[in-house]
Amino acid sequence: MSHKLSKITLAVISATALNFSLSTQAQEAQPQAKDDLEVIEVSGIRQSLTNALAEKRSADSLVEIIQSEDIGKLPDQNLAEVLENVTGIQITRQAGVGTGVQIRGTDANRTEINGVSTVGSGSGRSGISFEDVSASIISSLEVIKSPEAKTIEGSVGGTINLKTIRPLHLGEQLATIRVQGENSSLSTDSGLQPRFSGTFADNWETDDYGKFGVLISGSYAEQDVTAFRPRADRDNVITSDSGVASAQSFDYLPIQFFVQDYDNYEYETKNFVGTIEWAPNDNTKFYFDAVVNDQERRQESSRVQASGVSALNDISVPDAFETVNLGSLGGTNLGSIQAALRGVIPVNLDNDDDDPNLRFSSDTNSRVTDSDIFRLGGEWQGDKWFVSAEIASSSSDTTTPSFNTTLNFINPNAPLDAGGGNDNSVPFEYDLSGGALAFGIAQGAEYAPTVEQLLDPANVVLRDVNIGQDTVENSEDAFRIDSTYYTDSIITSVDFGYRYSKSQSKQNEITSSVGLRTMADSPTGDLFADLLVAGPDNFNEADGRSLYIADFLLIDPELVASDPDAVLETLQNAMTAHGSSKTLNAPTSSSAGFFDIEEVTHAFYAQANFEYEMIRGNFGVRYIQTDVESTGNSITQDGSGNELVTRITNESDYDFILPRLNLVADVSEDVLVRFGVGKDIRRPDYNDLSTSVTYSTSPNDEVEFGNPALKPEEVLSYDLSAEWYFAEASVFSVGIFHKTRKELHVNQLTSPVEDPVTGYRDLTDPCEGGGIFNPIADINVFGPENGRGVCVGTETKVNDSGETTQKGIEFAFQYDLAGFEKDLGWASGFGVLANYTIQEFSGGETVNTATSRASNVFAASTGTPGIEVSEIQGLLNLSENAYNFTLYYEKYGLSARMRYTWREGYRSNDFGSTSSFPWGFPVVQEDRGQLNASISYDVNEQLNIGLEAVNITESEISQSCVNESALLCFQGLTDRRITLGASYRF
């Protein structure tokens, strides 16, 4: 070839020789290239960045690479947070821990381990949960943004491939251990949570049987993370002409609801990787991989709820108001309106004898997941042929045990509900100024309880007991054979292959729900006092708030987790002693919560790889054909009202042709330009295909329906980028991408009608005004009396009939000063990494429509009676602007890194602890930045000690319910996590 690579480029490429296998032709060319090599000595952070840059540079498609700085040492402890370093990737978090990954604004991505598809713990398609895999067992990861024909289908944004160490690539024996401890700033548990990881790998050559390689890698980690999540709802309106006692000279939004939510997650994660490789000769290799991940995530949440607050809207007058600019939706300017900011919600027995009331909930939810990935294969390299074959199996079995209880506080200073209900009144005060959604008991107000009364078991009664034991079984078995034929022309080689896969998702909902609504049925806490403990009293530690509820009782979550049967027995005995007419039952399988979906896919591909002067790349096509079989239950009733269950099976199939092209032009010694175009599909999540119907006891949660007729999404992607390798281990790149999506999976919502005066909903089936009748949901404030059975909203996935577009620009910059050691001395240890992504989403036809309650607000804010407000749904979790900036230093055995990540606000369906849309629209998660840092020191060649910090500034999450900065309704106050550790290499 006439185009010659620079010495810098050749040196960079040579640094990755142990990390990937070259083709026969590349191996033949290698000795000639070595004559021109300029050797660059790198280690630690620089080694990982140099190797990653070389792999990216040599790739024939657009990929992003991150490699570990040392064995078991990626830039972050959590894989989602590792991926956040990559240009064009943002992540979502749960209690501050990275869980979801968006590539170029979409969650519709794939995750592989060593090229094998993974399956998740739920019903999604993105693969294994990132919190289930320890970063310590992963040696590198790649993000494929522009797929080749041989890339497995199923991704819109990109494919993430997590790689483990290959023992035959090692030049010497590897043995290392790491011991760490992590502390969380908001957790009530003291001390360090332990983490251990270790790796042993070696290879040896025999005279008769060739070369063998073995790898064993494992990790054990405990983690304790906490988040405080206050919520305040202001989604009703008091108009100036309403004539009620609380009316003002202006319209305003009163308080509807308060929640003080404390979430604590305890993780126990065990990971194991085993690899055996055997190369009987230079042309043949066999391998077996096993990746085993076991995780138990236990959630112990306490929830203090001010319920029935809206019943005092006509009476309670706020002390202060704030002006809320509601922005615009669907081209409609919604104007502005006043909203309650500070005030007292008093007890007014003439208006209501049991509202507002106080509830204490203890939620003990766990997710126990066992996931296994096995891969057995072999490959053979001839003069003209390369052939590989592989069988693989991925499985994930998950159980989600839960035991959730709610206690009503019976205020001894206020009379009981005259109707016999098991709640009565408590006065509250609130202060939402300064962006803090704070509320508490109005001390000094009439009927206010004392601390002693709040902590007296005789003053609480059992209200709800909800038990679950849901199971999800996901699996995928696959066989593939891939071949390459090498030629001596512009077409350097031709790849072709076949892949068979069978995937299955089986879900069974196992629940028991008992609600107690009368004093006659609800035992008092002194009958089960042995189960009661004081709830967490540190809700002010995150932001120093003075207004909160610090004194309350809960059913002990530790006891529930360790011996749920004993807790259930104690509660039943208390109900029996009280003379309750209700019985607590063990959870049973729900006919409406079952589905079993199986898919069989045949995939064929052919791909030509070419190189001519400065141009290289590939083009090809992938063909897939899928058969789907969905089994569920059809539930009807006989003449006596008994449930009749009939198991039904629906079958469907589809096929697609997916053309793909990638071009790379080395336009100068250190500049290359890439272009890629390709088509892909995204299959629906399994639960979106199910015929099951799942009900919640909350009247605020939508009932989710499956849609067996849902089609796969189709995406056509274009990429154009330029990369300038302007110095050693340095690059500046800019790229644009454009994705056209058809049949986008979007939520279709319906909302129940509420009376504009009383706020009541329909309490009978069918729900003529919209929604669906939920027989187990609390009536709560949506009817004149307490009880079960109320019309609620619905949610289902549909294919958007319109075409949608995602497009954006990505900038990345990497610069290392190591080459200036003579000029800069110690300062040559610095380096920087930065990236910036700008993207937007447009198109689509599916709309969200304002709820009836929100419509009343918009009628007041705009002055337009009967206004109808709707907006095209858009893409959830897409930030239009996001950036990362990393400053690192590595010299004299010292290695330090500081990374700041920022993403702009985005629409989300994760509203507090529910997925409901309170105004009919996804909430806006506001702009947020997070600062992480790490520092380590090589005591000697074997021993390294280090310190890592996550979320140093304890950045909070804020959500607004209508538009950006329009009506703050939820906060997530997350902890700072510090990890101290040491590693030793033998």
Side-chain angles (χ1 to χ4, degrees):
M1 299 296 176
S2 62
H3 183 70
K4 184 177 180 181
L5 298 177
S6 70
K7 291 183 179 181
I8 292 175
T9 299
L10 290 169
V12 170
I13 292 175
S14 71
T16 63
L18 296 181
N19 297 309
F20 58 92
S21 297
L22 299 176
S23 68
T24 300
Q25 289 181 328
Q27 290 174 347
E28 294 172 351
Q30 192 175 12
Q32 180 179 357
K34 283 183 178 179
D35 295 338
D36 297 327
L37 283 184
E38 175 184 344
V39 178
I40 302 174
E41 296 292 339
V42 291
S43 62
I45 294 176
R46 286 196 172 86
Q47 177 75 66
S48 67
L49 294 177
T50 302
N51 291 354
L53 208 60
E55 198 168 347
K56 173 184 173 71
R57 171 75 192 265
S58 62
D60 285 341
S61 64
L62 181 57
V63 298
E64 306 286 354
I65 312 291
I66 294 181
Q67 294 197 352
S68 60
E69 301 163 21
D70 199 351
I71 302 303
K73 189 181 179 184
L74 284 166
D76 297 277
Q77 299 278 351
N78 175 277
L79 280 174
E81 293 170 7
V82 172
L83 285 161
E84 196 176 27
N85 291 276
V86 174
T87 306
I89 289 186
Q90 295 85 49
I91 70 172
T92 50
R93 294 175 169 86
Q94 187 172 46
V97 176
T99 53
V101 171
Q102 296 84 49
I103 303 177
R104 293 175 164 179
T106 179
D107 297 278
N109 308 301
R110 277 177 45 83
T111 302
E112 302 174 347
I113 296 182
N114 293 325
V116 176
S117 299
T118 64
V119 294
S121 58
S123 54
R125 295 283 192 166
S126 294
I128 196 166
S129 301
F130 289 105
E131 68 266 38
D132 289 0
V133 182
S134 172
S136 65
I137 66 170
I138 302 301
S139 65
S140 68
L141 55 85
E142 65 177 358
V143 179
I144 303 170
K145 293 181 176 178
S146 179
E148 300 177 348
K150 59 186 176 183
T151 305
I152 300 173
E153 73 283 349
S155 175
V156 174
T159 296
I160 301 163
N161 186 23
L162 310 176
K163 297 181 179 181
T164 60
I165 296 170
R166 311 312 301 170
L168 285 184
H169 290 169
L170 296 174
E172 59 183 16
Q173 185 185 89
L174 170 67
T176 180
I177 61 171
R178 173 168 294 159
V179 179
Q180 295 177 305
E182 182 183 81
N183 177 263
S184 300
S185 61
L186 299 182
S187 173
T188 56
D189 293 338
S190 59
L192 298 176
Q193 301 298 311
R195 289 182 177 176
F196 307 98
S197 62
T199 299
F200 173 82
D202 199 3
N203 58 59
W204 61 94
E205 193 152 6
T206 66
D207 294 333
D208 299 325
Y209 301 103
K211 193 172 185 180
F212 292 87
V214 174
L215 164 75
I216 299 175
S217 181
S219 71
Y220 174 85
E222 295 181 12
Q223 189 175 35
D224 192 310
V225 296
T226 298
F228 302 155
R229 311 195 321 161
R231 170 182 159 189
D233 291 359
R234 293 175 287 178
D235 54 352
N236 211 331
V237 63
I238 300 293
T239 59
S240 58
D241 59 358
S242 62
V244 299
S246 61
Q248 303 292 301
S249 59
F250 49 83
D251 303 332
Y252 73 91
L253 308 180
I255 298 296
Q256 287 288 114
F257 187 64
F258 284 121
V259 172
Q260 174 182 296
D261 193 25
Y262 173 101
D263 286 342
N264 180 253
Y265 292 89
E266 297 178 0
Y267 295 81
E268 183 183 56
T269 308
K270 291 172 281 188
N271 303 111
F272 169 82
V273 175
T275 296
I276 300 173
E277 292 185 309
W278 173 39
N281 52 57
D282 291 340
N283 296 330
T284 309
K285 184 175 74 172
F286 300 96
Y287 56 83
F288 173 74
D289 289 342
V291 182
V292 178
N293 306 293
D294 294 338
Q295 187 189 76
E296 179 176 353
R297 187 190 70 176
R298 188 170 70 183
Q299 175 188 356
E300 295 177 355
S301 298
S302 64
R303 189 170 61 255
V304 179
Q305 180 176 309
S307 189
V309 170
S310 60
L312 276 293
N313 282 346
D314 292 350
I315 302 296
S316 176
V317 180
D319 296 333
F321 300 87
E322 64 176 337
T323 301
V324 177
N325 186 344
L326 297 176
S328 64
L329 289 169
T332 301
N333 188 339
L334 303 177
S336 61
I337 195 168
Q338 297 295 298
L341 186 66
R342 290 191 302 273
V344 173
I345 301 170
V347 171
N348 188 309
L349 299 177
D350 293 334
N351 180 75
D352 194 310
D353 67 351
D354 63 352
D355 287 319
N357 56 76
L358 184 60
R359 294 177 186 166
F360 311 138
S361 295
S362 176
D363 295 345
T364 305
N365 302 310
S366 297
R367 176 171 70 82
V368 181
T369 300
D370 297 332
S371 59
D372 302 317
I373 301 166
F374 300 105
R375 181 173 75 135
L376 176 64
E379 56 189 49
W380 173 78
Q381 176 74 65
D383 292 336
K384 291 290 186 178
W385 284 92
F386 173 82
V387 181
S388 66
E390 175 182 290
I391 56 174
S393 176
S394 299
S395 64
S396 176
D397 294 337
T398 300
T399 303
T400 52
S402 62
F403 197 128
N404 304 328
T405 56
T406 298
L407 307 176
N408 270 353
F409 176 70
I410 304 300
N411 186 2
N413 303 327
L416 295 173
D417 178 13
N422 61 359
D423 55 0
N424 69 344
S425 300
V426 175
F428 295 101
E429 64 176 313
Y430 59 94
D431 186 351
L432 311 185
S433 60
L437 303 178
F439 79 99
I441 294 172
Q443 300 296 336
E446 188 178 11
Y447 304 109
T450 65
V451 171
E452 291 75 15
Q453 291 170 334
L454 288 165
L455 296 176
D456 186 349
N459 292 333
V460 295
V461 297
L462 186 64
R463 183 182 190 272
D464 286 297
V465 179
N466 298 308
I467 308 174
Q469 195 77 20
D470 298 353
T471 61
V472 178
E473 299 175 13
N474 293 330
S475 65
E476 179 174 301
D477 298 321
F479 165 76
R480 63 184 299 172
I481 182 167
D482 301 277
S483 301
T484 302
Y485 179 73
Y486 298 98
T487 69
D488 297 321
S489 62
I490 295 176
I491 303 296
T492 58
S493 61
V494 178
D495 300 325
F496 51 92
Y498 165 75
R499 182 175 185 267
Y500 166 88
S501 64
K502 177 182 177 181
S503 60
Q504 185 173 25
S505 181
K506 184 176 181 180
Q507 180 171 306
N508 197 10
E509 184 180 283
I510 304 172
T511 60
S512 172
S513 176
V514 176
L516 311 173
R517 297 298 177 266
T518 66
M519 291 297 292
D521 278 330
S522 303
T524 56
D526 49 4
L527 293 176
F528 51 92
D530 292 345
L531 302 181
L532 298 176
V533 295
D537 60 359
N538 64 330
F539 201 80
N540 64 328
E541 285 192 10
D543 60 2
R545 65 181 60 202
S546 58
L547 185 59
Y548 65 103
I549 296 177
D551 304 294
F552 57 99
L553 291 174
L554 294 172
I555 291 179
D556 186 358
E558 295 284 348
L559 190 58
V560 168
S562 62
D563 196 349
D565 292 336
V567 173
L568 187 64
E569 182 180 5
T570 300
L571 292 176
Q572 182 61 71
N573 291 340
M575 293 172 62
T576 301
H578 181 71
S580 175
S581 63
K582 299 292 185 71
T583 301
L584 298 179
N585 299 313
T588 57
S589 181
S590 167
S591 300
F594 166 84
F595 66 77
D596 186 353
I597 297 174
E598 182 179 287
E599 292 180 345
V600 173
T601 297
H602 301 273
F604 302 86
Y605 76 88
Q607 173 177 309
N609 307 292
F610 57 87
E611 184 173 2
Y612 179 71
E613 296 188 347
M614 69 176 187
I615 303 295
R616 56 188 165 94
N618 56 72
F619 62 90
V621 65
R622 188 175 188 88
Y623 171 77
I624 63 167
Q625 191 274 327
T626 299
D627 297 310
V628 183
E629 184 178 280
S630 176
T631 301
N633 291 330
S634 174
I635 305 171
T636 58
Q637 290 183 344
D638 61 18
S640 302
N642 299 313
E643 187 179 85
L644 298 177
V645 179
T646 304
R647 186 149 294 185
I648 58 173
T649 298
N650 295 313
E651 295 182 353
S652 62
D653 63 85
Y654 53 82
D655 63 328
F656 289 93
I657 296 176
L658 308 176
R660 295 167 181 179
L661 165 70
N662 290 280
L663 295 175
V664 183
D666 292 292
V667 296
S668 70
E669 281 193 323
D670 295 313
V671 176
L672 63 81
V673 175
R674 299 182 186 274
F675 173 75
V677 58
K679 186 177 180 181
D680 212 327
I681 66 164
R682 178 66 172 185
R683 296 180 173 91
D685 288 346
Y686 291 111
N687 63 325
D688 293 333
L689 295 171
S690 166
T691 56
S692 303
V693 180
T694 302
Y695 293 103
S696 167
T697 58
S698 170
N700 298 308
D701 292 345
E702 286 92 2
V703 171
E704 296 184 10
F705 288 97
N707 179 6
L710 201 60
K711 302 175 184 177
E713 295 181 18
E714 300 178 50
V715 56
L716 181 61
S717 301
Y718 296 89
D719 279 280
L720 178 63
S721 63
E723 300 162 14
W724 176 31
Y725 296 84
F726 59 91
E728 296 176 3
S730 303
V731 68
F732 173 74
S733 66
V734 59
I736 60 175
F737 64 88
H738 186 286
K739 296 179 181 292
T740 302
R741 298 174 69 173
K742 298 179 181 179
E743 307 292 352
L744 184 69
H745 301 152
V746 293
N747 291 318
Q748 186 175 70
L749 303 174
T750 64
S751 301
V753 171
E754 296 179 6
D755 186 282
V757 178
T758 64
Y760 294 164
R761 298 179 184 171
D762 193 346
L763 304 181
T764 59
D765 190 12
C767 304
E768 289 87 353
I772 187 174
F773 185 74
N774 183 342
I776 66 171
D778 282 335
I779 294 177
N780 204 322
V781 297
F782 299 113
E785 296 180 359
N786 285 331
R788 294 286 187 106
V790 62
C791 289
V792 301
T794 65
E795 177 181 355
T796 189
K797 279 286 196 305
V798 298
N799 291 111
D800 196 312
S801 58
E803 187 175 270
T804 62
T805 299
Q806 287 173 245
K807 55 186 177 182
I809 306 175
E810 297 173 339
F811 301 91
F813 177 77
Q814 176 177 322
Y815 191 39
D816 189 289
L817 299 179
F820 299 94
E821 183 170 9
K822 292 182 180 179
D823 299 321
L824 299 178
W826 66 270
S828 64
F830 283 105
V832 295
L833 299 163
N835 61 68
Y836 195 103
T837 303
I838 305 171
Q839 56 190 343
E840 64 179 35
F841 176 88
S842 60
E845 295 180 353
T846 300
V847 298
N848 294 129
T849 303
T851 64
S852 60
R853 187 183 294 177
S855 294
N856 294 333
V857 174
F858 296 149
S861 64
T862 62
T864 306
I867 188 173
E868 295 183 1
V869 178
S870 62
E871 183 177 54
I872 291 176
Q873 185 170 121
L875 194 64
L876 298 179
N877 297 332
L878 181 143
S879 293
E880 292 189 350
N881 291 273
Y883 66 83
N884 285 326
F885 179 83
T886 299
L887 175 68
Y888 66 87
Y889 182 84
E890 188 170 62
K891 205 169 184 64
Y892 311 121
L894 183 67
S895 180
R897 181 196 301 259
M898 182 173 64
R899 175 167 63 92
Y900 183 77
T901 303
W902 179 89
R903 66 179 300 184
E904 193 175 18
Y906 56 91
R907 292 280 182 181
S908 170
N909 65 351
D910 180 16
F911 173 50
S913 58
T914 74
S915 59
S916 62
F917 297 172
W919 290 67
F921 306 94
V923 296
V924 174
Q925 187 145 312
E926 301 286 357
D927 304 353
R928 183 179 183 272
Q930 179 165 309
L931 180 65
N932 297 349
S934 64
I935 185 170
S936 65
Y937 178 70
D938 292 326
V939 179
N940 52 46
E941 290 185 358
Q942 287 78 39
L943 179 63
N944 175 276
I945 58 175
L947 182 70
E948 301 178 33
V950 176
N951 193 21
I952 294 174
T953 58
E954 294 184 316
S955 300
E956 73 171 61
I957 295 168
S958 299
Q959 288 186 347
S960 296
C961 268
V962 183
N963 273 308
E964 186 174 354
S965 301
L967 198 64
L968 178 68
C969 54
F970 172 81
Q971 289 178 284
L973 310 175
T974 56
D975 57 9
R976 178 193 303 114
R977 304 195 302 278
I978 305 293
T979 303
L980 176 67
S983 62
Y984 190 86
R985 295 189 66 162
F986 296 90

